[in-house]
């Protein structure tokens, strides 16, 4: 196969997506058609369109993705963002496929029983996100907190606790108080306000320590798994009740067994027609060749950015080159002096690979968009789009990361600090692909990531500040500060860094540094935050860093 | 057989529609199978006021897959144009940015959208006004406000009472421009079959849609069938048909009988599906040193669109909430070149309880008394507005019960005195209220289909509230059978007439009709009804409403944390205690209360449609920028209710619960934020920048 500009559909196996266990062809599907549009157009209407931009999760489906252990990890993604062609050769499940004809899936059972579904429009997406977390191999424990037990408070326990029953004066729940077959005759007992009755204590309910709502259930369920799914009806509590009540996975469950086999292999693919083509190249060289021939091609990795261009802006590309499954972009390598992270690894995968070894990034990952987005978005894509409010860039700047850029002309390594040149602009040329991100090791021992956004999770940063430092003999020996949301690009707070370098590690030093930090960048006012607020939070981040690290 | 009373209403029944929904198989409007449909993509105005001079559809007409392009030049003429929101494509006039000015019909959604981008429009722009300000000189008093309430009220001489008062609160509060944002975007599938119009619509009321559209199209209501078995939320925005229903039905007149499908995008919903007006509320309270109120004045400024008046009844709750001899309320409205406002969950009460309930918190502090005690002190004996006794007013019990559960007794009233791990922490309380109304004009039909099985038909709609389940329970109880013996049929104008799922009236109004039908059925057919026996029943007015003031009440408690460095605000705890009459299904009721409280949390912290008045443009018109609460924003939240039956609320004893959960929630959070930080924020949402001293 060459870099021909006239790609054609390949064999049936390559162009099939296995949906709920049955193969469906995407051979005739246009490259700009999202998975959600394709599924719904094919009569699989469980996934819904609530926003068409990856914010609400009503479209979530489960995909069989490499588990990192040679097996498969069920992963939920927003189907509204991913072109259907990008899932060719893959296996996905929607809510419809989780239940058998007779029995509900345990996730569906809990959602139905506990009132996790009201209007129901968000429900199939919640079911898929919840099921993916249900199948996470390292999730363990039963809803009661005891391994292998299987009991959880019932919804009856929960709702009965919500009734305030006047003691000694319990009212019938029924209008009809006896079994005499008389016509409807309620005979309601009178109730007056003059005698406020004493209240009974509530029954045991699913309760957390006030102010410290757990983000992990007693069954090991990580609530972040649902962070990208919005519900407007239930207030989330019944959904959380359902998630935290899930038991252990039944080893006979075919989806559980599927985890022990490898995820579907990547296969090269060509679809579409000239002017509207989709290519999954066999290797990096082929991708680079295609890109060199077609500089206006779109590189597709997680599609969390391109998907929005497709649906909201209705942009169309002459050629889409899928690079998310290229082996060369999916490597993770650790040596004594650096970590090299393949640009095609998703944020979720990077988090798993690093496993806390870079604390600054470990702080960042849970704040990066939502789990649904992290499951698709790649680290290379987050840098490649050049957004000034992408969250990885400030952290990687503070870590002094470099990028390996590959083209058919060869490879070059460039410091991330020299990468961004303007709003969504960088030194990357049209024929280059970000191949990997290189973080020098060991990282500076002190690291903090501060993200200020309008909403705690599932939001774009108003301001993001990443600080990495080393203190030696009571002095700031080294410090790097990466800042997002304060200029047209992510920046290093150079003047603040220069001021701090060599200064004593004291509150006074950082108080003075905060005033320098306050005027770093060129923050603007928009509906996310005012310029004044952005400047104030920049200053606060420097003070806070010292306070938190010192304590 | 013998009909037995089993008492299924009140039982903690699982949601009947839950199984289909978790399987992803419950069909919503877009998903009903129709043959050979066409797809609509709208053309929308890109100016805020003016007229279309030329509209060139040549390229669009010639685009692949296009069947028709419709503009004001060639659209079908509507028979009724009194409702300017619905009278689209009838003239070149543009009333607001985003208004429909045409539509493309094509074989695929992609073709329709691509062709719509090819239409060229030239306008003559006129100066527009899109900014609501208190100092506008064109504010006017509408004839009445929403739901038929008087625009202004006055009892006694509140100005003098406040002038003479020992303690005065005189402040201005604002509530945000909010969009309902149900998860299912508004959707219509329309098909003309001969002279009959069939609509699969995402609506809160099938009969209201029919009754609204019939005069618009100049046909008898019976010629319109509306079907809506499942609706993905509404919160008021689907309470009346908006212009997209008309557009789709018009387009279906140009489709040679083929059905036309149109689902609004999330972005389009910000211009075309209603919203809650922003409000500017001037609240004045006068009290003696003990906190006893002598005067209440609540003056509200809000907006409507220039093309159609919708005057939110914001000051209505101040008329009945607390005992003060001297009270005055007013509404003044600005007509702006903006989209048409409409109902949003607890219209009136929700924004209207924000200003007064924060003012009460300020008064409590000024008097040096506990905010709960202040409310108890001003508890009226009778409805101050109507002079009638309250059928059931348990506000004090709600406050006391909430205080006990929330740990209010340990509260140190001193603001900004609890800093824990970098977070200032505080607690707040506010009252909640919502009127209990029963809508007339509901009929139900019951038929004994086969031995022991009863079909119950009514044109009610379940928008997620639990109507499928609650009405089944009510029917089973009224007939004296098990819920499993009831085959409830709703969501179709082929069933007997029903009113809208709105105003917290659905369950009580439809339920009253079902009880009436059951009563008629039993009267006529006795205990041994033959198969095929049937009866209808219609619910009239609630006679008790003549003698009593019928309202629900509640108490909202919130604990808030504000970060000392960044001002970020989190609601760590919320508790709502409600008195809403009989609860038909505790499981679905709990979700309704919690959902309302969560929407109130959204109002407090996030929700705010940002108008750029230069362009009449809603800047943040999507879910990326218009934030509703996520799972992580809702932490320890609980709703409880008094176990009661309102003997004056009809045979059902229920008052409706869809809206009271949101009322007062934002005020409780704002009061807690003050207690946490000592910074009184009187404007919603409570954004972080407000708390950086």
């Amino acid at each position: 196969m060459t870099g021909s500009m006239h790609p054609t559909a390949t064999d049936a196996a390559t162009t099939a997506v296995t949906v709920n266990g049955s193969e469906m062809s995407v051979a005739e599907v246009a490259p700009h058609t999202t998975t959600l549009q394709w599924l719904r157009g094919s009569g699989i209407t469980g996934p819904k369109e609530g926003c068409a931009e990856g914010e609400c999760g009503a479209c979530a489906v489960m995909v069989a993705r490499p588990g990192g252990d040679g097996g498969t990890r069920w992963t939920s993604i927003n189907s509204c963002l991913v072109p259907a062609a990008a899932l060719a050769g893959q296996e996905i499940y929607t809510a419809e496929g989780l239940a058998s004809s007779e029995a509900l899936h345990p996730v569906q059972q809990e959602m139905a029983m506990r009132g996790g579904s009201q209007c129901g429009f968000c429900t199939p997406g919640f079911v898929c996100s919840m099921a993916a977390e249900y199948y996470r191999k390292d999730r363990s424990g039963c809803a009661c907190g005891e391994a292998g037990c299987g009991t959880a408070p019932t919804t009856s326990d929960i709702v009965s606790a919500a009734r305030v029953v006047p003691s000694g004066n319990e009212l019938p729940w029924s209008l009809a108080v006896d079994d005499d077959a008389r016509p409807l005759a309620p005979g309601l007992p009178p109730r007056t306000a003059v005698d406020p009755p004493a209240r009974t204590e509530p029954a045991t309910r699913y309760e957390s320590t006030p102010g410290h709502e757990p983000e992990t259930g007693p069954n090991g369920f990580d609530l972040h798994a649902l962070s990208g799914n919005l519900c407007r009806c239930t207030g989330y509590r019944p959904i959380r009740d359902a998630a935290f009540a899930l038991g252990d996975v039944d080893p006979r469950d075919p989806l559980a067994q599927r985890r022990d086999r490898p995820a579907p292999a990547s296969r090269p693919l060509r679809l579409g027609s000239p002017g509207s083509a989709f290519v999954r190249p066999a290797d990096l060289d082929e991708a680079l060749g295609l890109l060199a021939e077609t500089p206006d091609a779109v590189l597709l990795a997680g599609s969390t950015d391109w998907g929005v261009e497709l649906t909201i802006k209705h942009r169309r590309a002459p050629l889409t080159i899928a690079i998310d499954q290229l082996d060369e972009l999916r490597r993770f390598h650790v040596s004594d002096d650096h970590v090299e992270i393949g640009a095609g690894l998703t944020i979720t995968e990077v988090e798993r690979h690093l496993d806390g070894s870079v604390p600054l990034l470990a702080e960042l990952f849970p704040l990066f968009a939502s789990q649904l987005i992290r499951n698709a978005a790649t680290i290379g894509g987050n840098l490649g789009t050049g957004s000034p409010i992408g969250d990885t860039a400030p952290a990687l700047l503070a870590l002094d990361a470099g990028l390996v850029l590959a083209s058919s002309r060869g490879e070059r390594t460039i410091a991330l600090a020299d990468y961004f040149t303007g709003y969504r602009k960088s030194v990357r040329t049209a024929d280059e692909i970000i191949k990997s991100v290189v973080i020098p090791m060991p990282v500076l021992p002190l690291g903090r990531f501060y993200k200020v956004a309008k909403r705690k999770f599932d939001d774009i940063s108003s301001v993001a500040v990443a600080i990495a430092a080393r203190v030696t003999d009571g002095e700031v020996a080294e410090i790097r500060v990466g800042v997002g949301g304060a200029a047209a690009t992510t920046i290093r707070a150079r003047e603040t860094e220069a001021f701090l370098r060599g200064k004593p590690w004291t509150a006074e030093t950082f108080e003075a540094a905060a005033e320098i930090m306050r005027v770093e960048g060129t923050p603007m006012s928009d509906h996310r935050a005012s310029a004044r607020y952005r400047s104030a939070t920049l200053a606060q981040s420097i003070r806070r860093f010292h306070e938190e690290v010192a304590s | 057989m013998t009909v037995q009373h089993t008492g299924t209403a009140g039982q903690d029944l699982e949601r009947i529609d839950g199984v289909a929904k978790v399987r992803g198989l419950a069909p919503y409007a877009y998903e009903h199978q129709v043959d050979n449909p066409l797809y609509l993509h709208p053309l929308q105005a890109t100016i805020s006021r003016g007229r279309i001079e030329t509209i060139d559809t040549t390229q669009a007409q010639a685009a692949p897959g296009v069947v028709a392009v419709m503009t004001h030049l060639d659209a079908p003429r509507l028979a009724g144009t009194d409702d300017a929101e619905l009278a689209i494509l009838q003239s070149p006039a543009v009333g607001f940015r985003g208004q429909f000015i045409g539509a493309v019909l094509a074989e695929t959604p992609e073709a329709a959208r691509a062709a719509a981008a090819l239409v060229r429009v030239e306008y003559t722009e006129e100066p527009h006004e899109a900014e609501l300000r208190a100092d506008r000189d064109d504010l006017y008093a509408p004839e009445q406000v929403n739901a038929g309430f008087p625009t202004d009220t006055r009892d006694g001489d509140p100005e003098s009472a406040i002038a003479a008062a020992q303690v005065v609160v005189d402040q201005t509060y604002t509530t945000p421009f909010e969009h309902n944002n149900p998860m299912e975007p508004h959707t219509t599938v329309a098909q003309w079959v001969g002279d009959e119009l069939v609509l699969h619509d995402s609506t809160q009321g099938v009969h209201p849609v029919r009754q609204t559209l019939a005069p618009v199209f100049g046909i008898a209501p019976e010629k319109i069938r509306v079907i809506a078995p499942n609706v993905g939320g509404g919160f008021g925005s689907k309470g009346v048909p908006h212009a997209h229903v008309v557009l789709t039905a018009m387009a279906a007149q140009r489709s040679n009988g083929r059905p036309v499908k149109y689902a609004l995008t999330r972005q389009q919903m910000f211009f075309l599906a209603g919203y809650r007006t922003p409000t500017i509320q001037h609240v004045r309270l006068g009290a003696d040193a003990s906190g006893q109120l002598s005067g209440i004045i609540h003056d509200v400024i809000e907006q409507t669109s220039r093309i159609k008046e919708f005057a939110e009844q914001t000051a209505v709750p101040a008329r009945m909430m607390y005992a003060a001899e001297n009270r005055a309320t007013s509404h003044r409205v600005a007509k702006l070149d903006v989209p048409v406002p409409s109902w949003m969950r607890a219209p009136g009460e929700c924004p209207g309880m924000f200003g007064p309930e924060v003012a009460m918190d300020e008064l409590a502090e000024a008097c040096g008394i506990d905010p709960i005690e202040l409310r108890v002190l001003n508890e009226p004996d009778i409805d101050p507005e109507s002079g009638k006794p309250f059928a059931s007013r348990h506000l004090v019990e709600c406050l006391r019960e909430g205080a006990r559960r929330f740990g209010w007794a340990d509260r140190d009233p001193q603001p900004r005195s609890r800093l824990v791990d970098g977070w200032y922490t505080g607690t707040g309380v506010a009252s909640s209220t919502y009127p209990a109304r029963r809508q007339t004009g509901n009929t139900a039909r019951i038929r004994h289909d086969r031995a022991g099985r009863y079909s119950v038909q009514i044109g009610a709609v379940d928008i997620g509230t639990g109507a499928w389940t609650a009405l089944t329970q009510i029917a089973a109880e009224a007939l004296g059978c098990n819920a499993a013996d009831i085959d409830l049929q709703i969501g179709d104008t082929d069933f007997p007439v029903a009113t809208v799922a709105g105003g917290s009236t659905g369950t009580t109004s439809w339920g009253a009709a079902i009880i009436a039908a059951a009563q008629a059925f039993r009267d006529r057919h006795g205990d041994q009804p033959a198969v095929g026996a049937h009866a209808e029943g219609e619910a009239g007015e609630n006679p008790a409403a003549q003698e009593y003031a019928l309202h629900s009440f509640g108490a909202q408690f919130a604990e808030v944390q504000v970060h000392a460095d960044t001002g970020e605000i989190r609601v760590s705890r919320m508790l709502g205690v409600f008195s809403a009459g009989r609860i038909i299904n505790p499981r679905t009721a709990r979700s309704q209360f919690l959902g309302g409280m969560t929407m109130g949390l959204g109002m407090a912290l996030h929700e705010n449609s940002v108008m750029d008045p230069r362009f009449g443009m809603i800047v943040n018109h999507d879910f990326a920028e218009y934030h509703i609460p996520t799972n992580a924003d809702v932490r320890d939240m609980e709703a409880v209710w008094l176990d009661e039956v309102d003997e004056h609320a009809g045979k059902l004893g229920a008052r409706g619960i869809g809206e009271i959960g949101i009322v007062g929630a934002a005020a409780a959070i704002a009061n807690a934020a003050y207690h946490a930080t000592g910074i009184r924020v009187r404007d919603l949402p409570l954004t972080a920048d407000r708390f950086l001293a």
Side-chain angles (χ1 to χ4, degrees), chain B residues 27 77 113 145 153 157 186 246-247 258 260 325 370 414 421 424 433 449 466 485 500 511 546 626:
Chain B
R77 296 299 96 185
R113 184 172 179 180
V145 293
T153 59
D157 182 355
H186 297 232
V246 177
L247 185 72
R258 294 170 70 179
V260 175
E325 279 187 23
D370 183 87
Q414 183 65 33
D421 296 336
Y424 285 111
T433 188
D449 286 338
D485 298 329
V500 70
Q546 299 295 325
Y626 184 95

Side-chain angles (χ1 to χ4, degrees), chain A residues 40 50 113 118-119 164 173 175-176 182 184 199 232 236-237 240 311 316 455 459 528 533, chain B residues 5 9 21 28 31 110 113 266 397 401 464 477 515 566 582 587 607 625 628-629 634 637 641:
Chain A
R40 288 180 60 80
M113 185 176 80
Q118 272 196 241
C119 85
V164 182
W173 281 106
L175 287 170
R182 60 193 162 81
L184 193 73
R199 305 299 182 200
R232 191 65 156 158
Y236 299 101
R237 186 62 190 264
R240 194 183 313 173
T311 60
R316 300 291 179 254
R455 190 165 60 186
D459 194 9
R528 288 198 194 101
Y533 178 72
Chain B
H5 282 256
K21 285 175 173 174
Y28 296 82
E31 296 158 5
E110 172 74 11
R113 184 172 179 180
R266 180 63 55 186
E397 287 172 81
E401 177 66 23
E477 183 174 273
I515 291 171
T566 63
R582 187 169 180 236
R587 189 172 314 215
E607 297 188 39
E625 303 295 344
I628 64 172
V634 181
M637 182 184 288
W641 53 88

Side-chain angles (χ1 to χ4, degrees), chain A residues 12 40 139 165 274 284 419 441 471 483:
Chain A
R40 288 180 60 80
R139 178 186 74 82
V165 182
L284 180 59
Y419 177 72
M441 294 297 268
V471 177
V483 180

Side-chain angles (χ1 to χ4, degrees), chain B residues 276-525:
Chain B
R276 195 197 301 282
T277 173
T279 72
I280 302 168
Q281 307 179 21
H282 184 196
V283 180
R284 283 170 281 176
L285 303 177
D288 66 19
S290 77
Q292 188 79 54
L293 284 165
S294 55
I296 299 173
I297 303 177
H298 192 191
D299 296 313
V300 178
I301 294 167
E302 53 202 18
Q303 76 185 36
T304 187
S305 68
R306 197 180 306 280
I307 66 164
K308 179 180 175 181
E309 182 179 276
F310 180 93
E312 178 109 357
Q313 69 274 39
T314 308
V316 165
R319 297 171 183 173
M320 51 64 67
M321 197 61 206
Y322 297 113
E325 279 187 23
N326 305 285
R327 287 167 292 114
T329 65
S330 73
H331 299 84
R332 294 295 176 268
V333 178
K335 275 190 179 167
L336 301 176
D337 305 296
V338 296
V340 184
S342 188
W343 302 347
M344 180 165 167
R345 200 173 204 166
E349 275 73 14
C350 176
M353 285 289 276
F354 177 71
E357 287 300 306
V358 177
M360 286 294 277
D361 202 62
E362 300 199 53
L363 181 64
E365 188 183 37
C367 295
I369 68 169
D370 183 87
I372 291 177
E373 299 308 322
L374 176 71
R375 288 168 171 86
V376 173
L377 181 68
N378 287 288
E379 182 72 356
D381 297 328
I382 56 167
D383 176 14
E385 160 111 67
S386 65
K388 296 175 190 172
F390 285 104
S392 161
R393 180 168 171 133
H394 300 305
L395 173 62
V396 173
E397 287 172 81
C398 292
L399 288 163
R400 296 277 189 231
E401 177 66 23
R404 190 185 69 78
R405 288 171 175 255
F406 202 71
W408 191 262
D410 305 329
R411 183 180 190 257
D412 170 4
Q414 183 65 33
R416 205 178 181 88
S417 56
R418 290 150 303 280
L419 182 62
V420 181
D421 296 336
W423 294 84
Y424 285 111
T425 303
T427 51
V429 67
S431 300
S432 178
T433 188
Y434 197 76
R437 302 186 200 99
R438 185 199 295 173
Q439 306 233 33
T440 56
N442 283 283
T443 300
R445 182 187 302 139
I446 294 175
R447 187 174 182 279
H448 189 201
D449 286 338
R450 53 192 167 81
R453 288 285 296 180
Y454 301 88
S455 61
V456 177
Q457 298 180 330
I458 183 167
V461 177
D462 190 331
I463 59 170
T465 56
W468 276 111
T469 314
L471 296 185
T472 296
Q473 290 176 267
I474 291 167
E477 183 174 273
L479 282 169
C481 62
N482 293 315
D485 298 329
I486 299 292
D487 173 20
L488 182 73
Q489 298 172 18
I490 61 173
D492 194 327
T493 48
D494 276 2
F495 305 140
V497 63
T499 51
V500 70
S504 296
T505 63
T507 301
T508 55
S509 306
W510 307 325
I514 289 171
I515 291 171
Q519 188 114 40
F521 183 89
R522 297 180 61 111
D523 287 350
R524 192 181 308 164
H525 305 295

